[in-house]
Structures are given as C-alpha cells and as structure tokens.
Amino acid sequence: MKKGSILNSITPFYDQNIQNIKNEFGNFSDLIIREFKIGNSNIRSFLVMIDGLVDKMVINEHILKPLMRDISIYKKDQSSCEEMYIFIKENILYSHCITEERDWAKTVHCILCGDVALFIDGVDRCLLISVRGWESRGIEEPNTEVVVRGPREGFTENLRTNTALIRRKIRDPKLKIESIKIGKISKTDIAICYIESIAKKELVDEVKRRLEKIDMEYILESGYIESFIEDGKYSIFPTVGNSEKPDVVVGKLMEGRVAILVDGTPFALTIPYLFVEAFQTSEDYYSRPYYYSIVRLLRYFSFFVATTLPALYIAVTTFHQELLPTSLLISIASAQAGIPFPSFAETLTMLVIYEILKEAGVRLPRPVGQAISIVGALVIGEASVSAGLIGAPMVVTVAFTAISAFMIPAISDAVTIIRFACVVMSAICGLYGIMLIWILMIIHLCSLKSFGINYLAPIAPMVVNDLRDVFVRLPWRILKKRPIIFNKNF
C-alpha cells in the first residue's frame, strides 16, 4: 500500500473510486473487488475486501444475495442512486454493524481491519459492513498458569474474545473498556479495562497518558507496551504484571487496578504490580486457606533458596567452614576430594549448564524439549560426578536451587540475575558479599514504584490492614474488603 494517501474523501464517481482503490492498495494479491449491479436496476456497485480477513459465507448470503436478487422483490420502482443507497442501508443489508464513512483514510483502515466496503455509483460515501471472520485459536487452558482447581479458560490472540471473557465475569456497566490504536504502521488495537467506581481516576489517566506517548511503528505483543509504560525501566524486577487467565485479571480489576489488552497476544497487562504478587497464585483463593498459606510461606523460602543457596555453598565451603557441623564438613570434604576445580568454578559451571538446558527445553518442540531437559540433566550430572569433575553436593545444591525457582515463575528473570550476582560476590567476600547483594536489593525494591504505589507495599510502607493477604492467605470473610493501598497515595 502506498504511504500517506493524498485522498481526503470518497468521490461520487464509480470508475474513479475503483481506480483510487487500486492505486491505494497497489499490488495486493489478496485484495478482492467484486463489481455488480443492484437488483434489476442499472446502478453499479462494488465491494472491497481483503481475502482471509472476512467471512465469505456471510458476504455471499447476507450482502451479495440481498443486493443482487432480494432487493428486486422490495424495490420495484426506479430510484435515484441516493435513494437506493438509503434504502439499502435501512432495509436490505443483514449485518449487526454498519457504519457510513466519507473519509478515505478511515475507509482504507477499516478494510485492512477486516470490514467490507460497499461503494455505489453516484454516492459520495460508502457503507462499512462488519464481516470479520479470520481464523483464530480457540479458548484453551494457558500453559503458563496451570491450576488444579479453578477456571481453565485462557485469553486468546483475538481482542474481542478477550474482552468478552472479562465481560462474562463482570456484568456491570461500570466496567469500562476503552479502545485506542498504537503503532504508526500496525495500528494495533489496544483495550484499556477498569471499573469506574473502583479504579482511581488518577491511575486511569496516567495509564492513558503513558500509552499516548508511545511512539512506535508497530506493536506485536504486550511486552512492547510494557517496556514503554513501566516504572524503573532499568530494574530487573517487573513493575507491570501480566496474565493469560481472565479470572486473574478480573480479580485485579476488582481491587482497583487497570488492565491492558493487546490484539494479537493472549497476555494481558495489569497495573499497578507489586512485589508480593509474585508469591500469589489464583489457586490460593479457590481452596481452603490453611494449606495454601503454608504453600505461600514456602514460596518466600524458595525465593531465598533460589537466589542464595549456591552462593551460601561457596561462602561456607571457602571462607566459613567453622559454621558447619564437623560431620557435615567431613562429608563435604570427602565428596570434594579429587575435584580439580574450586567451589566457585563448580557452581558457575553447573548454573550455566542448568540455564542452557532450561532454555533448550523451552525453545525445542515440547516432546523433544522435555527429553532434553530430563535426559540432559541426568546424563550430565551423573557423568560429571563419575568423572570427578563436579562434586555430588554441588549437583544437589544446583538441583534444589532450580526446583525452588520454579515456585516463583513471575520473577524468574530477576532471581537468575540475583543468583549469579550472589555467587560472584560470595566468591570474593564470602557471607559479607551475599549480605551486600541483599542489602542493595532491598534498597532497590524500596525505591521502586509502580504507577505511584510503592513496589514493596504493603510491607514497606507497612499497611497492617493489607498484610492479611501477603505472607498468608486469610479466610474470605476477612478478605472481603479490597486492599486500601490502591486508594491511598504513599
């Protein structure tokens, strides 16, 4: 398509409109121009559509058939082009959404979005008929947020399907879904969702302001938008949440947050996003609170293990052997006997191998990826210990670290970076190096904000009322009031 159309409006001349369409779209192999005459009259018309974006059966049965045959039954007298146009618009076309358009650029954009444009000779405007019908993936259970109990439906790549999934759960007119387009070339549809009586107006306005400032030629995934609107752009911790599950997004909307849906991706963004959310799952709220309160505490423990355990192994075995019981120290020393590498080299090698295996397992097709992850870990671990290259305690340490990281997938990127930083500092300064990394991390977390909300809230600053859903999950009779941190300025 040519850049920057010089046309401003549709002309009333049939041949000129066809030529303008051909000039505008150029060599479009999937462009369809269907010319015909309306009923028994001599009034010429044509439809413009993009093959693959429209439902051909709907066009044949509910547009072409009524215009070419059925209209003769209802309109037997000879009418002018303008009268015929009005009659078709009001009485003939079978469509739930028909809009009248004079602007040429808007007409071209709607055609590219999957609408059909009806041009009639002698009329200086067209009818845009919604018959979008491209192939799309059905609603399935998301692989990234698997649950034992709870809804199994997940978002798809179709924006309207995703907004409908949210509407099904919040049947209230106060749920607002506002649409904008971002991307100079892609013109990607974006939906901003919030509940008018719950979400703060300042938050909604700030989200809109940041979205309007995005200057990109194309938006292919919600991650593009996340990088533009997040706070702490150079932080390793996410300040914008994402989810594939409608129930998770609806739960956050009910707390006063804002959701952003992007056409073409099943991942919805939620704002603001806090650090404690990384340790919460949707299933925590669907089952009895006692067991899942213990599980939540295990997630916090897993965060410590996933970031610090390899570094602790290096620090204790290299600098602080006196902290270990004598029997344990003897066991580790006997396992390390004959190992040609220091603990730091062992740990770094095993962590790098683990990251390679994890990435390979993710990128390869699922059956092959699972085989690579399992067989690769077993073969490499067993062979390394048998060959005397790596000690058995090191293999156990890395394995426990990897399993712990799987309990907090929302911040797995940050956990990996902190783990390597702790390993390097522990090799230099021992436990003091680990303490330094943790102090710097806590200072950084305290300095972060997510759309005006402290990232560590309700821990720092402490909001006692909202601690009921941080370290443990209290019963619903106590949680029925929504958090106050989204309604106050900290």
Side-chain angles (χ1 to χ4, degrees), residues 43 52 93 102 113 139 144 174 225 230 275 290 325 328 334 349 352 370 386 389 420 424 426 449 483:
I43 299 177
L93 293 177
R102 297 176 183 269
C113 289
I139 299 175
T144 57
K174 292 179 181 178
I225 293 178
E230 65 180 351
F275 179 71
Y290 313 108
L328 178 59
S334 61
T349 301
V352 170
Q370 292 177 348
S386 300
L389 298 176
F420 278 102
V424 173
S426 66
K449 288 181 179 289

Side-chain angles (χ1 to χ4, degrees), residues 311 314 319 344 348 418-430 433-434 437:
I314 295 173
F319 295 97
F344 172 67
L348 195 62
I418 296 171
R419 182 191 305 140
F420 278 102
C422 287
V423 165
V424 173
M425 291 303 297
S426 66
I428 298 173
C429 309
I434 299 174
I437 293 297

Side-chain angles (χ1 to χ4, degrees), residues 75 77-88 123:
K75 190 74 172 174
D77 58 321
Q78 295 296 321
S79 304
S80 65
C81 297
E82 184 67 29
E83 292 174 343
M84 182 65 75
Y85 171 86
I86 296 174
F87 182 77
I88 290 172
V123 180

